[in-house]
Structures are given as C-alpha cells and as structure tokens.
C-alpha cells in the first residue's frame, strides 16, 4: 500500500533522513520507533506531503506520490495526526471533527463516520459542543485522531500520539489505535514509547539519526538484547 524507497530529507543543508526505505501493507499496523531527534516527525511529514523529499520515492497504492502537491494528499486516502494535535481550539469538538470530512466522498458518509468516532472515543459524546481547547490533553488527542478518521483514510499516519499523556490515558489511546486498525485502516505509527508501540504493531522499524538501523516483526525485535538495552532499559548478560 505505502512504499517508501531510499527517502532523503534535509532542513536546509542539514540531512534529517538518509536512504530510508519502508513499507506498509494493506491492513497492517507498522511502527517506527527511535529516540528524540531521530527523524520520526520528518518521516511522517514527508509521507503526508508537508515536507518535500530531497531524494527517493514515495508510492501509495502503486501510484508515485513523491511530487504530489500537499493539498492533494487528503484525496489520496492518507490522513495525518500531527505531533501536537493542531486542533482549532476556539471551535467546538464537533466542528473540528467535521473539518476532517470536507472532501465530497467523506462528507456523504459524515454521520456514519461520526458514529464510528464516538464509538471509538465515547468520552467525546458529552463534549461535542465544547470548545476543543477546553478538553484535557487525552481528549484533545482523541479529537485529533477522530478528525483524521472523519476523512475515511485508507492509511492513518500518527505522530507520537502518547506524547504528554498520563499512563492510563496512553493505554486507552493505544487500544483505540489497535481498534482502528482492526476495523480495516492501515496505520503507520511513530513513537518514542517503544514498549507500547511494539506491543500493538505487527512490524517495526528502528530509526536512529535519520537511518533505519533495524526492522522486523515487532515481537522478534523486542527479543533482541540491543533493542531491550537501548529502548526498554533491560540489561541482559
Ligand atoms: P522528536 O521526537 O523530538 O520529535 P523526531 O525523531 O521526530 O524527534 P525530527 O523532529 O524529525 O525527529 O528531527 C530530526 C532532525 O531534524 C533533528 O536533528 C532536528 O533537530 C532536525 N529538525 C527538525 N525540524 C527542523 C526544522 N524545522 N529546522 C531545522 N532542523 C529541524
């Protein structure tokens, strides 16, 4: 479904991604984990058309989308939940959600999409008329994911959905992401929360200093001593 081949990205002259290749198959939940500054947000932003690639190729459903203008990305079937959520905080929760369904095919299915979002995130039912900015951090993250789901994406890109959330809320968030995937949406998740991300993902890539340094089935990567040591704080002797 998504093929990223030898992707390179820079900020000015400074490289942020070097020859990154990865893929997400239809129906898969794949995560990219790595430390602060590894290039995870850059990768998600390049795939969503928000940052231009310097080299390499992006293909979605067999179509080359490397040079697609950013405003055309929504209609390809890719939706992004950016780091920091970027909600319209003065608008109501319902208005924020409806903004996700502005394209004609999504608008037609707006009420069914809203019902699905509210079944994923029941806490939002009582908050539909509240300003998005009045919600807790966890609820705002639910609105951001809900808004992306209102566009009926085939592929959902999630940039650090657990950032800044309390542990109990993080658990709910990961459960919702797993449910979204189980209901048929492919997911590419980037996370610093390695243990939780690998728990729900089928496959994982480890990104360090702009390069993929390991990849495989998440359950296999979790058994590797170097991953346990670097990311899970487990020392094996
Ligand atoms: P974090 O978890 O902190 O968001 P990350 O893995 O998402 O980290 P990126 O934000 O993609 O990493 O950053 C990758 C590299 O690019 C870092 O060295 C960062 O300092 C640099 N960088 C990111 N955004 C910019 C920018 N707008 N201008 C210049 N350099 C940037």
């Amino acid at each position: 479904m998504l093929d990223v081949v030898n992707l390179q990205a820079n900020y000015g002259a400074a490289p942020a991604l070097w020859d990154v290749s990865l893929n997400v198959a239809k129906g898969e939940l794949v995560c990219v984990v790595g430390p602060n500054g590894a290039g995870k947000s850059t990768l998600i932003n390049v795939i969503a058309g928000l940052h231009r690639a310097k080299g390499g190729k992006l293909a979605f459903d067999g179509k080359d989308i490397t040079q697609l203008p950013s405003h055309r990305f929504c209609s390809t079937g890719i939706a992004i939940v950016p780091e920091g959520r970027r909600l319209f905080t003065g608008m109501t929760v319902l208005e924020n959600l409806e903004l996700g369904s502005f394209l004609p095919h999504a608008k037609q299915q707006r009420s069914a999409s809203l019902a699905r979002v509210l079944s994923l995130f029941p806490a939002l039912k009582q908050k539909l008329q509240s300003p998005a900015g009045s919600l807790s951090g966890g609820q705002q993250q639910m609105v951001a994911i809900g808004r992306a789901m209102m566009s009926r994406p085939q592929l959902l890109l999630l940039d650090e959905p657990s950032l800044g959330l309390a542990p109990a809320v993080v658990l709910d968030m990961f459960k919702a992401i797993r449910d979204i995937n189980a209901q048929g949406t492919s997911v590419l998740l980037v996370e610093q929360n390695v243990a939780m991300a690998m728990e729900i993902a089928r496959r994982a890539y480890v990104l360090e200093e702009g390069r993929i340094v390991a990849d495989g089935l998440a359950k296999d990567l979790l058994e590797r001593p170097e991953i346990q040591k670097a990311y899970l704080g487990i020392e094996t002797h």
Side-chain angles (χ1 to χ4, degrees), residues 21-197:
S21 296
L22 60 84
N23 70 292
V24 180
K26 198 168 172 51
E28 251 192 331
L29 198 172
V30 174
C31 69
V32 176
V33 296
N36 245 331
K40 302 182 300 299
S41 296
T42 306
L43 174 63
I44 286 282
N45 289 338
V46 172
I47 295 170
L50 301 172
H51 186 94
R52 262 297 154 224
K54 182 164 181 291
K57 197 177 146 191
L58 286 174
F60 187 65
D61 268 348
K63 289 188 213 94
D64 188 338
I65 57 166
T66 324
Q67 298 300 330
L68 202 67
S70 53
H71 64 276
R72 296 271 316 278
F73 267 80
C74 292
S75 51
T76 60
I78 300 175
I80 180 172
V81 180
E83 188 174 330
R85 300 155 205 151
R86 314 248 177 95
L87 296 180
F88 295 94
T89 51
M91 291 167 64
T92 67
V93 167
L94 182 60
E95 286 165 340
N96 271 276
L97 291 173
E98 286 182 345
L99 277 176
S101 58
F102 71 95
L103 287 176
H105 79 280
K107 205 177 253 174
Q108 279 167 12
Q109 303 176 76
R110 188 175 264 177
S111 37
S113 305
L114 183 61
R116 181 159 71 141
V117 167
L118 295 178
S119 78
L120 280 165
F121 302 116
L124 296 184
K125 276 185 199 157
Q126 311 302 320
K127 301 282 180 182
L128 287 174
Q129 302 307 328
S130 306
S134 70
L135 270 55
S136 67
Q139 289 170 341
Q140 291 194 25
Q141 187 62 266
M142 293 173 196
V143 178
I145 297 176
R147 180 178 59 184
M149 290 309 293
M150 293 291 289
S151 72
R152 319 268 318 179
Q154 294 171 57
L155 174 67
L156 181 66
L157 307 174
L158 290 160
D159 191 353
E160 304 251 9
S162 75
L163 200 69
L165 303 183
V169 183
V170 171
L171 270 179
D172 287 348
M173 201 60 67
F174 278 93
K175 184 181 169 303
I177 294 166
R178 207 175 45 196
D179 290 349
I180 286 170
N181 177 245
Q183 290 170 15
T185 308
S186 310
V187 176
L188 181 64
L189 164 70
V190 311
E191 260 297 338
Q192 276 186 62
N193 191 332
V194 179
M196 297 279 299

